[in-house]
Amino acid sequence: METTYEKTKKRELASGQIYEELFLGLEFGMSRKDFFSTCWELNKHGILINGAHELMVRYQPDLPSGNEANMFFYPRFEGDKIFYMPVEFQYRNWFPTNPATTSEKLVEDVVGLLSSWYGEGFFRVEDKSGAFAMVKIDGNRLIRVYIKSLSAVRVDILDLRVKDITEISS
C-alpha cells in the first residue's frame, strides 16, 4: 500500500512540472560560480553574512511569529550544479526553558515561512518511532522540514530529477 508521501511524489514527478527556485535568487542547476557571485552580491548589501557553522551562509529571515532566527545554508553540487540545499534554522533567543522557542514552535514557524515562499501544501509524514517531518513536493522539488535537535530545525530542499532523498546523507 502506497503512503501519501509515495503517492504525492509519484504524482508530482509524473506532472512534468519543473521548479528551479530555492530562495534569495538561488536556483537548482545554478553553477558554483553563480552561487558564489549571487551570495557575494547579497553579502555586499548586508542580506547574507558568513556563518560560523557547517552550513556557512547565514540569512536572518522574518518568521511568522516575529521571533528572530538564523537560517544557515550551503548547497551541494552535482556536476557543478546545485541539486540539494540543506538549511538549518535556529531561534536567536533560544533557551531550553523558553516555551516560545521550542523546536516544535520553530517547525511551525519554518513551515509558515516556507509556505509563504513556496505556497501551501505541507503535509505530515511520521515514521514508526513517532518522529515526523513536514513535506511538500512540487514537481521535481522536494522540501522536508524536521527537528534536528532541541534548538535546531533542518530543511532539505532537493531536486528529485537528480537524486532521491534516500540517496542524501546529512
Side-chain angles (χ1 to χ4, degrees), residues 27-165:
E27 298 182 345
F28 287 138
M30 180 178 267
S31 71
R32 194 178 301 266
K33 180 181 181 212
D34 289 343
F35 168 74
F36 285 118
S37 63
T38 300
C39 288
W40 177 252
E41 283 301 312
L42 292 168
N43 181 279
K44 286 194 310 191
H45 293 86
I47 296 168
L48 298 179
I49 57 177
N50 291 337
H53 192 275
E54 163 206 6
L55 306 173
M56 294 305 292
V57 182
R58 187 176 82 176
Y59 175 57
Q60 295 177 321
D62 294 324
L63 296 178
S65 70
N67 275 334
E68 294 181 338
N70 289 321
M71 174 181 153
F72 299 97
F73 63 91
Y74 191 85
R76 291 204 194 153
F77 298 86
E78 180 89 9
D80 195 47
K81 304 285 185 198
I82 295 175
F83 80 97
Y84 171 56
M85 183 67 78
V87 182
E88 194 168 299
F89 287 84
Q90 295 177 321
Y91 284 130
R92 291 180 20 214
N93 63 341
W94 178 83
F95 192 75
T97 58
N98 183 347
T101 61
T102 64
S103 53
E104 289 81 5
K105 295 271 190 210
L106 185 53
V107 166
E108 290 174 26
D109 245 354
V110 169
V111 168
L113 174 69
L114 298 179
S115 293
S116 74
W117 290 357
Y118 305 111
E120 298 295 323
F122 282 87
F123 61 94
R124 186 180 177 102
V125 176
E126 283 188 35
D127 68 12
K128 290 179 177 105
S129 75
F132 76 96
M134 298 301 293
V135 176
K136 179 174 174 56
I137 305 171
D138 293 314
N140 61 298
R141 184 179 57 203
L142 166 74
I143 304 168
R144 177 175 70 171
V145 181
Y146 58 96
I147 294 171
K148 181 181 176 192
S149 69
L150 286 174
S151 64
V153 165
R154 175 75 175 239
V155 177
D156 297 316
I157 309 173
L158 178 67
D159 187 342
L160 290 168
R161 296 171 300 173
V162 180
K163 292 191 178 178
D164 197 339
I165 198 71

